[in-house]
Amino acid sequence: MKIGIVCYPTFGGSGVVATELGKGLAQKGHKVHFITYSQPSRLDFLNENLFYHEVDFRSYPLFEYPPYELALASKMVSVVKNEKLDILHVHYAIPHASAAYMAKQILKTQGISIPVVTTLHGTDITLVGKDASYEPVVTFSINQSDGVTAVSRDLRQQTYDSFRITQEIEVIPNFIDLAKFKKQKKDHFKKAICPNGEMLVVHISNFRKVKRIGDVISVFANIHKEIPAKLLMIGDGPERTKAEKQCKELGICDDIRFLGKLEAVEEVLSVADLFLLPSEKESFGLAALEAMACEVPVISSDSGGIPELNLQGVTGFLSPVGDVDDMTRKALFVLDKNNLPRFKENALQRAKEFDITNILPLYESYYTKVMEKSVVPIGV
Ligand code: GMT
Protein backbone atom coordinates (compact mmCIF):
# COMPACT_ATOMS: atom_id res chain seq x y z
CA MET A 1 0.00 0.00 0.00
CA LYS A 2 1.08 3.60 -0.53
CA ILE A 3 0.04 5.55 2.53
CA GLY A 4 0.22 9.28 3.23
CA ILE A 5 0.50 10.17 6.94
CA VAL A 6 -0.29 13.68 8.16
CA CYS A 7 0.47 14.61 11.77
CA TYR A 8 2.00 17.13 14.12
CA PRO A 9 5.74 16.45 14.01
CA THR A 10 6.27 17.57 17.60
CA PHE A 11 6.70 15.72 20.89
CA GLY A 12 2.91 15.37 21.40
CA GLY A 13 1.41 11.89 21.67
CA SER A 14 -0.45 12.02 18.37
CA GLY A 15 2.77 12.76 16.48
CA VAL A 16 4.58 9.93 18.25
CA VAL A 17 1.81 7.44 17.44
CA ALA A 18 1.64 8.57 13.79
CA THR A 19 5.41 8.36 13.36
CA GLU A 20 5.73 4.95 15.01
CA LEU A 21 2.81 3.69 12.91
CA GLY A 22 4.48 4.93 9.72
CA LYS A 23 7.80 3.35 10.68
CA GLY A 24 6.07 0.05 11.47
CA LEU A 25 4.14 0.07 8.20
CA ALA A 26 7.33 0.85 6.25
CA GLN A 27 9.08 -2.10 7.89
CA LYS A 28 6.25 -4.31 6.70
CA GLY A 29 6.87 -3.18 3.11
CA HIS A 30 4.30 -0.39 2.68
CA LYS A 31 5.46 2.89 1.16
CA VAL A 32 4.82 5.59 3.73
CA HIS A 33 4.86 9.30 2.91
CA PHE A 34 4.88 11.74 5.84
CA ILE A 35 3.40 15.15 5.08
CA THR A 36 4.26 17.57 7.91
CA TYR A 37 5.72 21.04 8.49
CA SER A 38 9.00 19.65 9.84
CA GLN A 39 10.57 16.24 10.16
CA PRO A 40 8.79 14.23 12.88
CA SER A 41 11.04 13.98 15.93
CA ARG A 42 10.96 10.19 16.00
CA LEU A 43 11.46 9.72 12.25
CA ASP A 44 15.03 8.87 12.97
CA PHE A 45 15.93 5.90 10.85
CA LEU A 46 16.57 5.36 7.20
CA ASN A 47 14.24 2.99 5.39
CA GLU A 48 13.75 2.69 1.66
CA ASN A 49 9.98 2.78 2.21
CA LEU A 50 9.86 6.00 4.22
CA PHE A 51 9.48 9.42 2.62
CA TYR A 52 9.09 12.91 4.02
CA HIS A 53 7.37 15.87 2.34
CA GLU A 54 7.66 19.23 4.03
CA VAL A 55 4.69 21.58 3.92
CA ASP A 56 6.08 24.96 2.94
CA PHE A 57 3.91 27.82 3.94
CA ARG A 58 4.98 31.28 3.04
CA SER A 59 4.57 34.34 5.14
CA TYR A 60 3.19 37.46 3.51
CA PRO A 61 2.80 40.96 4.96
CA LEU A 62 -0.98 40.67 4.69
CA PHE A 63 -1.15 37.46 6.70
CA GLU A 64 -1.16 37.97 10.41
CA TYR A 65 -1.69 34.18 10.55
CA PRO A 66 -0.22 32.27 7.57
CA PRO A 67 -2.93 29.89 6.24
CA TYR A 68 -1.22 26.59 7.11
CA GLU A 69 -4.28 24.52 6.28
CA LEU A 70 -4.24 25.71 2.65
CA ALA A 71 -0.55 24.95 2.26
CA LEU A 72 -1.12 21.51 3.80
CA ALA A 73 -4.07 20.75 1.50
CA SER A 74 -2.02 21.83 -1.54
CA LYS A 75 0.87 19.59 -0.44
CA MET A 76 -1.52 16.67 0.05
CA VAL A 77 -2.84 17.18 -3.49
CA SER A 78 0.63 17.09 -5.00
CA VAL A 79 1.87 14.13 -2.94
CA VAL A 80 -1.26 12.04 -3.62
CA LYS A 81 -0.90 12.77 -7.35
CA ASN A 82 2.85 12.43 -7.74
CA GLU A 83 3.25 9.41 -5.49
CA LYS A 84 -0.02 7.76 -6.52
CA LEU A 85 -1.06 7.23 -2.92
CA ASP A 86 -3.78 4.69 -2.08
CA ILE A 87 -4.91 6.28 1.17
CA LEU A 88 -4.38 9.36 3.36
CA HIS A 89 -4.28 8.89 7.14
CA VAL A 90 -4.52 12.09 9.15
CA HIS A 91 -3.81 12.22 12.88
CA TYR A 92 -5.52 14.81 15.12
CA ALA A 93 -8.63 16.32 13.56
CA ILE A 94 -7.62 19.98 13.66
CA PRO A 95 -6.78 21.09 11.02
CA HIS A 96 -5.72 17.84 9.36
CA ALA A 97 -9.17 16.38 8.70
CA SER A 98 -10.52 19.55 7.09
CA ALA A 99 -7.34 20.01 5.02
CA ALA A 100 -7.73 16.41 3.84
CA TYR A 101 -11.35 17.09 2.88
CA MET A 102 -10.22 20.08 0.80
CA ALA A 103 -7.46 18.03 -0.87
CA LYS A 104 -9.93 15.24 -1.62
CA GLN A 105 -12.35 17.65 -3.31
CA ILE A 106 -9.57 19.19 -5.41
CA LEU A 107 -8.33 15.75 -6.48
CA LYS A 108 -11.88 14.71 -7.37
CA THR A 109 -12.06 17.52 -9.94
CA GLN A 110 -8.95 15.94 -11.51
CA GLY A 111 -10.48 12.46 -11.61
CA ILE A 112 -8.47 11.16 -8.66
CA SER A 113 -10.19 9.48 -5.74
CA ILE A 114 -8.37 9.25 -2.39
CA PRO A 115 -9.90 7.71 0.74
CA VAL A 116 -9.20 9.58 3.97
CA VAL A 117 -8.89 8.05 7.44
CA THR A 118 -8.97 10.42 10.42
CA THR A 119 -7.63 9.30 13.79
CA LEU A 120 -8.96 11.21 16.79
CA HIS A 121 -6.37 11.48 19.55
CA GLY A 122 -7.83 13.40 22.44
CA THR A 123 -7.81 17.15 22.87
CA ASP A 124 -8.90 17.52 19.23
CA ILE A 125 -12.23 16.25 20.62
CA THR A 126 -12.26 16.82 24.37
CA LEU A 127 -10.86 20.38 24.47
CA VAL A 128 -10.10 22.40 21.33
CA GLY A 129 -12.43 20.57 18.94
CA LYS A 130 -15.48 21.20 21.15
CA ASP A 131 -14.84 24.93 21.22
CA ALA A 132 -17.45 26.86 19.24
CA SER A 133 -14.67 28.41 17.14
CA TYR A 134 -13.85 24.99 15.63
CA GLU A 135 -16.81 22.68 16.32
CA PRO A 136 -18.72 23.04 12.99
CA VAL A 137 -15.60 22.35 10.93
CA VAL A 138 -14.53 19.44 13.15
CA THR A 139 -17.99 17.82 12.95
CA PHE A 140 -18.12 18.29 9.18
CA SER A 141 -14.64 16.96 8.49
CA ILE A 142 -15.06 13.91 10.74
CA ASN A 143 -18.31 13.08 8.97
CA GLN A 144 -16.68 13.55 5.56
CA SER A 145 -13.79 11.19 6.34
CA ASP A 146 -14.05 7.75 4.74
CA GLY A 147 -12.91 6.15 7.97
CA VAL A 148 -12.59 7.41 11.54
CA THR A 149 -10.68 5.80 14.39
CA ALA A 150 -10.35 6.78 18.06
CA VAL A 151 -7.57 5.70 20.39
CA SER A 152 -9.93 4.49 23.16
CA ARG A 153 -13.54 3.48 23.71
CA ASP A 154 -13.94 6.50 25.97
CA LEU A 155 -12.78 8.89 23.24
CA ARG A 156 -15.20 7.28 20.78
CA GLN A 157 -18.05 7.83 23.25
CA GLN A 158 -16.98 11.41 23.95
CA THR A 159 -16.97 12.08 20.22
CA TYR A 160 -20.50 10.72 19.85
CA ASP A 161 -21.61 12.71 22.90
CA SER A 162 -20.08 16.04 21.85
CA PHE A 163 -20.59 16.12 18.08
CA ARG A 164 -23.37 15.17 15.67
CA ILE A 165 -21.50 12.24 14.20
CA THR A 166 -22.99 10.23 11.35
CA GLN A 167 -19.92 8.03 10.98
CA GLU A 168 -19.11 4.76 12.65
CA ILE A 169 -15.94 5.18 14.71
CA GLU A 170 -13.53 2.27 15.03
CA VAL A 171 -11.44 1.97 18.20
CA ILE A 172 -7.79 1.17 17.56
CA PRO A 173 -5.78 1.67 20.74
CA ASN A 174 -2.32 3.19 20.90
CA PHE A 175 0.62 0.83 20.86
CA ILE A 176 4.29 0.45 21.70
CA ASP A 177 7.17 -1.32 20.00
CA LEU A 178 8.39 -3.53 22.82
CA ALA A 179 11.33 -4.72 20.76
CA LYS A 180 12.73 -1.19 21.00
CA PHE A 181 11.00 0.39 23.94
CA LYS A 182 11.97 -1.71 26.93
CA LYS A 183 13.77 -1.63 30.23
CA GLN A 184 17.50 -1.12 29.83
CA LYS A 185 20.20 -1.95 32.32
CA LYS A 186 21.13 1.44 33.76
CA ASP A 187 22.24 0.72 37.32
CA HIS A 188 24.91 3.45 37.21
CA PHE A 189 22.26 5.97 36.20
CA LYS A 190 19.98 4.94 39.08
CA LYS A 191 22.90 5.26 41.49
CA ALA A 192 23.64 8.77 40.25
CA ILE A 193 20.03 9.95 40.74
CA CYS A 194 19.21 7.97 43.86
CA PRO A 195 22.58 7.53 45.63
CA ASN A 196 20.97 6.36 48.87
CA GLY A 197 18.52 3.90 47.35
CA GLU A 198 15.63 6.39 47.19
CA MET A 199 12.48 5.48 45.26
CA LEU A 200 12.36 7.17 41.85
CA VAL A 201 9.09 8.74 40.74
CA VAL A 202 8.72 10.05 37.16
CA HIS A 203 6.27 12.25 35.28
CA ILE A 204 6.41 12.92 31.52
CA SER A 205 4.14 15.31 29.65
CA ASN A 206 3.91 18.56 27.75
CA PHE A 207 3.14 20.41 31.01
CA ARG A 208 -0.21 21.80 29.90
CA LYS A 209 -2.98 22.62 32.39
CA VAL A 210 -4.84 19.44 31.47
CA LYS A 211 -1.95 17.37 32.92
CA ARG A 212 -2.46 18.79 36.47
CA ILE A 213 1.25 19.21 37.10
CA GLY A 214 0.47 20.70 40.53
CA ASP A 215 -0.98 17.33 41.58
CA VAL A 216 2.22 15.57 40.49
CA ILE A 217 4.24 17.79 42.82
CA SER A 218 1.71 17.49 45.68
CA VAL A 219 1.56 13.68 45.49
CA PHE A 220 5.33 13.52 45.38
CA ALA A 221 5.66 15.92 48.35
CA ASN A 222 3.39 13.59 50.37
CA ILE A 223 5.36 10.48 49.35
CA HIS A 224 8.57 12.30 50.22
CA LYS A 225 7.29 12.94 53.75
CA GLU A 226 6.95 9.19 54.29
CA ILE A 227 9.84 7.58 52.40
CA PRO A 228 13.13 8.69 50.79
CA ALA A 229 12.24 9.53 47.18
CA LYS A 230 13.26 11.57 44.16
CA LEU A 231 11.12 12.98 41.34
CA LEU A 232 12.13 13.48 37.71
CA MET A 233 9.93 15.79 35.65
CA ILE A 234 10.41 15.24 31.90
CA GLY A 235 9.00 17.51 29.22
CA ASP A 236 8.23 21.19 29.07
CA GLY A 237 5.30 23.50 28.65
CA PRO A 238 3.26 26.37 30.06
CA GLU A 239 2.86 24.97 33.60
CA ARG A 240 6.55 24.38 34.27
CA THR A 241 7.33 27.72 35.93
CA LYS A 242 4.38 27.35 38.31
CA ALA A 243 5.51 23.82 39.20
CA GLU A 244 9.06 24.99 39.92
CA LYS A 245 7.64 27.68 42.22
CA GLN A 246 5.53 25.06 44.01
CA CYS A 247 8.66 22.94 44.63
CA LYS A 248 10.45 25.95 46.14
CA GLU A 249 7.49 26.75 48.39
CA LEU A 250 7.39 23.15 49.60
CA GLY A 251 11.15 23.18 50.19
CA ILE A 252 11.75 19.97 48.23
CA CYS A 253 13.73 21.34 45.27
CA ASP A 254 16.77 19.21 46.11
CA ASP A 255 14.81 16.05 45.42
CA ILE A 256 13.05 17.15 42.23
CA ARG A 257 14.74 17.66 38.88
CA PHE A 258 13.18 19.16 35.78
CA LEU A 259 14.95 17.58 32.83
CA GLY A 260 13.10 19.33 29.98
CA LYS A 261 12.33 17.58 26.70
CA LEU A 262 14.19 14.28 26.32
CA GLU A 263 14.38 12.03 23.28
CA ALA A 264 15.34 8.78 24.99
CA VAL A 265 12.69 8.67 27.72
CA GLU A 266 13.11 4.88 27.98
CA GLU A 267 16.52 5.45 29.60
CA VAL A 268 14.92 7.35 32.47
CA LEU A 269 11.91 5.05 32.67
CA SER A 270 14.28 2.07 32.93
CA VAL A 271 15.33 3.20 36.39
CA ALA A 272 11.94 4.50 37.60
CA ASP A 273 9.81 2.89 40.31
CA LEU A 274 6.56 4.77 39.76
CA PHE A 275 4.90 6.89 37.07
CA LEU A 276 2.41 9.64 37.94
CA LEU A 277 -0.33 10.70 35.50
CA PRO A 278 -3.01 12.71 37.35
CA SER A 279 -4.49 14.31 34.17
CA GLU A 280 -7.82 16.10 34.06
CA LYS A 281 -8.47 14.50 30.67
CA GLU A 282 -6.51 11.79 28.90
CA SER A 283 -7.90 9.92 25.93
CA PHE A 284 -5.41 7.06 26.28
CA GLY A 285 -2.20 7.98 28.12
CA LEU A 286 0.60 6.88 25.81
CA ALA A 287 3.17 8.12 28.34
CA ALA A 288 1.77 5.63 30.88
CA LEU A 289 2.04 2.81 28.34
CA GLU A 290 5.68 3.76 27.72
CA ALA A 291 6.29 3.61 31.46
CA MET A 292 4.59 0.21 31.74
CA ALA A 293 6.70 -1.11 28.88
CA CYS A 294 9.73 -0.30 31.05
CA GLU A 295 8.15 -2.16 33.99
CA VAL A 296 6.99 0.95 35.81
CA PRO A 297 3.60 0.85 37.62
CA VAL A 298 1.27 3.82 37.22
CA ILE A 299 -0.71 5.98 39.63
CA SER A 300 -3.19 7.91 37.51
CA SER A 301 -6.49 9.69 37.53
CA ASP A 302 -9.46 7.64 36.39
CA SER A 303 -10.29 10.04 33.58
CA GLY A 304 -10.97 9.36 29.91
CA GLY A 305 -9.39 6.26 28.41
CA ILE A 306 -6.80 5.67 31.16
CA PRO A 307 -8.87 2.87 32.79
CA GLU A 308 -8.65 0.99 29.47
CA LEU A 309 -4.89 0.82 30.01
CA ASN A 310 -4.05 1.10 33.71
CA LEU A 311 -5.81 -1.63 35.67
CA GLN A 312 -6.94 -0.84 39.21
CA GLY A 313 -4.82 -2.76 41.73
CA VAL A 314 -3.00 -4.67 38.98
CA THR A 315 -0.70 -2.37 37.01
CA GLY A 316 -1.02 0.44 39.53
CA PHE A 317 -4.04 2.39 40.75
CA LEU A 318 -6.53 5.00 39.58
CA SER A 319 -8.05 7.78 41.70
CA PRO A 320 -10.65 10.47 41.06
CA VAL A 321 -9.19 13.55 39.32
CA GLY A 322 -7.59 15.85 41.89
CA ASP A 323 -7.72 13.36 44.79
CA VAL A 324 -4.11 13.86 45.86
CA ASP A 325 -4.54 12.03 49.18
CA ASP A 326 -5.93 8.90 47.54
CA MET A 327 -3.13 8.96 44.96
CA THR A 328 -0.57 9.32 47.76
CA ARG A 329 -1.98 6.36 49.73
CA LYS A 330 -1.97 4.18 46.63
CA ALA A 331 1.50 5.32 45.58
CA LEU A 332 2.92 4.36 48.99
CA PHE A 333 1.22 0.96 48.75
CA VAL A 334 2.78 0.30 45.33
CA LEU A 335 6.21 1.52 46.47
CA ASP A 336 6.19 -0.87 49.45
CA LYS A 337 9.05 -3.29 48.85
CA ASN A 338 6.68 -6.25 49.32
CA ASN A 339 4.34 -5.01 46.56
CA LEU A 340 6.56 -3.29 44.01
CA PRO A 341 7.93 -6.37 42.17
CA ARG A 342 4.38 -7.67 41.52
CA PHE A 343 3.19 -4.31 40.15
CA LYS A 344 6.27 -3.99 37.94
CA GLU A 345 5.72 -7.42 36.43
CA ASN A 346 2.00 -6.74 35.88
CA ALA A 347 2.80 -3.42 34.18
CA LEU A 348 5.05 -5.16 31.68
CA GLN A 349 2.55 -7.96 31.00
CA ARG A 350 -0.21 -5.40 30.36
CA ALA A 351 2.06 -3.36 28.04
CA LYS A 352 2.64 -6.50 25.96
CA GLU A 353 -1.04 -6.51 25.02
CA PHE A 354 -0.45 -3.16 23.28
CA ASP A 355 2.64 -4.29 21.38
CA ILE A 356 2.86 -2.93 17.84
CA THR A 357 2.68 -6.48 16.47
CA ASN A 358 -0.88 -6.72 17.82
CA ILE A 359 -2.10 -3.27 16.78
CA LEU A 360 -0.47 -2.65 13.37
CA PRO A 361 -2.56 -5.37 11.63
CA LEU A 362 -5.69 -3.59 12.91
CA TYR A 363 -4.71 -0.46 10.98
CA GLU A 364 -3.79 -2.47 7.89
CA SER A 365 -7.14 -4.25 7.78
CA TYR A 366 -8.97 -0.99 8.53
CA TYR A 367 -7.23 0.67 5.55
CA THR A 368 -8.25 -2.24 3.33
CA LYS A 369 -11.86 -2.02 4.54
CA VAL A 370 -11.99 1.75 3.92
CA MET A 371 -10.38 1.43 0.49
CA GLU A 372 -12.82 -1.29 -0.56
CA LYS A 373 -15.76 0.78 0.69
CA SER A 374 -14.52 3.88 -1.15
CA VAL A 375 -14.13 2.30 -4.61
CA VAL A 376 -16.44 4.20 -6.94
CA PRO A 377 -18.31 1.69 -9.15
CA ILE A 378 -17.69 2.16 -12.88
CA GLY A 379 -20.33 4.36 -14.47
CA VAL A 380 -21.20 6.25 -11.30
O1 GMT B 1 -2.32 16.03 25.07
C1 GMT B 1 -1.28 15.50 24.77
O2 GMT B 1 -0.50 14.98 25.55
C2 GMT B 1 -0.90 15.47 23.34
C3 GMT B 1 -1.99 14.83 22.60
C4 GMT B 1 -1.73 14.79 21.16
O3 GMT B 1 -2.68 14.55 20.47
O4 GMT B 1 -0.63 15.05 20.70
O5 GMT B 1 -2.15 13.54 23.23
C5 GMT B 1 -3.36 12.86 23.06
O6 GMT B 1 -3.04 11.82 22.16
C6 GMT B 1 -2.20 10.79 22.68
C7 GMT B 1 -1.91 9.80 21.56
O7 GMT B 1 -3.06 9.23 21.07
C8 GMT B 1 -2.89 10.13 23.88
O8 GMT B 1 -2.08 9.10 24.40
C9 GMT B 1 -3.12 11.21 24.95
O9 GMT B 1 -3.84 10.60 26.00
C10 GMT B 1 -3.92 12.36 24.38
N1 GMT B 1 -3.95 13.46 25.35
C11 GMT B 1 -5.09 13.84 25.94
O10 GMT B 1 -6.16 13.34 25.73
C12 GMT B 1 -4.96 14.96 26.91
Side-chain angles (χ1 to χ4, degrees), residues 33-51:
H33 294 260
F34 281 91
I35 306 170
T36 57
Y37 60 75
S38 68
Q39 181 148 341
S41 52
R42 288 208 188 177
L43 195 59
D44 50 7
F45 81 110
L46 289 172
N47 180 304
E48 55 178 356
N49 293 329
L50 273 179
F51 306 87

Side-chain angles (χ1 to χ4, degrees), residues 80-123:
V80 169
K81 251 169 41 181
N82 296 340
E83 307 295 342
K84 302 192 170 34
L85 298 189
D86 298 309
I87 193 158
L88 265 179
H89 185 179
V90 305
H91 291 258
Y92 206 89
I94 307 171
H96 302 144
S98 46
Y101 171 75
M102 203 186 312
K104 190 180 161 91
Q105 296 312 307
I106 296 167
L107 287 160
K108 203 167 157 188
T109 64
Q110 302 174 17
I112 298 167
S113 154
I114 182 81
V116 172
V117 170
T118 298
T119 289
L120 310 172
H121 278 274
T123 50

Side-chain angles (χ1 to χ4, degrees), residues 84-356:
K84 302 192 170 34
L85 298 189
D86 298 309
I87 193 158
L88 265 179
H89 185 179
V90 305
H91 291 258
Y92 206 89
I94 307 171
H96 302 144
S98 46
Y101 171 75
M102 203 186 312
K104 190 180 161 91
Q105 296 312 307
I106 296 167
L107 287 160
K108 203 167 157 188
T109 64
Q110 302 174 17
I112 298 167
S113 154
I114 182 81
V116 172
V117 170
T118 298
T119 289
L120 310 172
H121 278 274
T123 50
D124 46 351
I125 294 301
T126 56
L127 273 177
V128 224
K130 270 209 286 218
D131 191 276
S133 50
Y134 296 113
E135 185 277 321
V137 178
V138 173
T139 307
F140 177 80
S141 44
I142 291 175
N143 285 335
Q144 292 297 321
S145 300
D146 300 282
V148 184
T149 76
V151 297
S152 64
R153 294 191 298 278
D154 182 81
L155 185 61
R156 173 174 60 183
Q157 194 51 51
Q158 297 234 26
T159 311
Y160 285 138
D161 292 346
S162 309
F163 301 85
R164 291 166 71 92
I165 297 299
T166 54
Q167 279 274 23
E168 211 174 289
I169 302 175
E170 181 98 354
V171 175
I172 304 185
N174 285 336
F175 56 86
I176 187 120
D177 186 348
L178 275 156
K180 289 187 217 135
F181 209 105
K182 59 182 173 198
K183 193 176 173 80
Q184 303 169 0
K185 207 149 172 46
K186 294 270 170 196
D187 294 347
H188 60 290
F189 188 30
K190 178 82 180 237
K191 265 224 129 47
I193 311 166
C194 301
N196 302 309
E198 296 92 338
M199 286 293 174
L200 184 60
V201 181
V202 172
H203 171 77
I204 305 175
S205 76
N206 43 25
F207 288 51
R208 285 175 302 156
K209 240 189 164 61
V210 72
K211 303 289 177 181
R212 295 187 68 95
I213 303 297
D215 288 359
V216 175
I217 309 291
S218 301
V219 172
F220 175 73
N222 290 343
I223 295 173
H224 187 260
K225 274 185 214 148
E226 302 296 326
I227 57 172
K230 301 270 184 185
L231 172 65
L232 292 182
M233 299 287 283
I234 300 169
D236 213 331
E239 295 290 293
R240 176 168 170 173
T241 313
K242 212 157 113 194
E244 284 173 328
K245 196 165 157 243
Q246 190 183 352
C247 299
K248 279 201 194 96
E249 283 164 6
L250 289 164
I252 48 173
C253 291
D254 287 349
D255 292 316
I256 301 181
R257 283 192 63 183
F258 288 80
L259 297 181
K261 288 177 185 168
L262 279 188
E263 287 282 351
V265 286
E266 63 273 32
E267 291 185 5
V268 174
L269 289 170
S270 292
V271 294
D273 297 297
L274 189 70
F275 188 79
L276 294 180
L277 190 67
S279 308
E280 177 92 40
K281 295 176 196 291
E282 200 71 66
S283 66
F284 180 87
L286 183 65
L289 175 57
E290 293 185 338
M292 287 157 69
C294 293
E295 301 174 35
V296 185
V298 175
I299 295 292
S300 69
S301 59
D302 59 4
S303 69
I306 307 180
E308 295 168 45
L309 170 68
N310 186 21
L311 304 179
Q312 186 76 287
V314 179
T315 56
F317 284 98
L318 304 97
S319 305
V321 173
D323 196 337
V324 167
D325 289 342
D326 194 51
M327 288 182 195
T328 306
R329 252 191 320 276
K330 289 168 169 167
L332 288 167
F333 181 82
V334 172
L335 289 172
D336 185 302
K337 285 212 162 67
N338 295 317
N339 301 329
L340 193 53
R342 166 168 58 95
F343 281 101
K344 285 190 170 196
E345 175 58 23
N346 290 349
L348 175 62
Q349 292 313 321
R350 179 70 175 149
K352 283 183 181 166
E353 294 174 36
F354 296 88
D355 187 54
I356 189 165

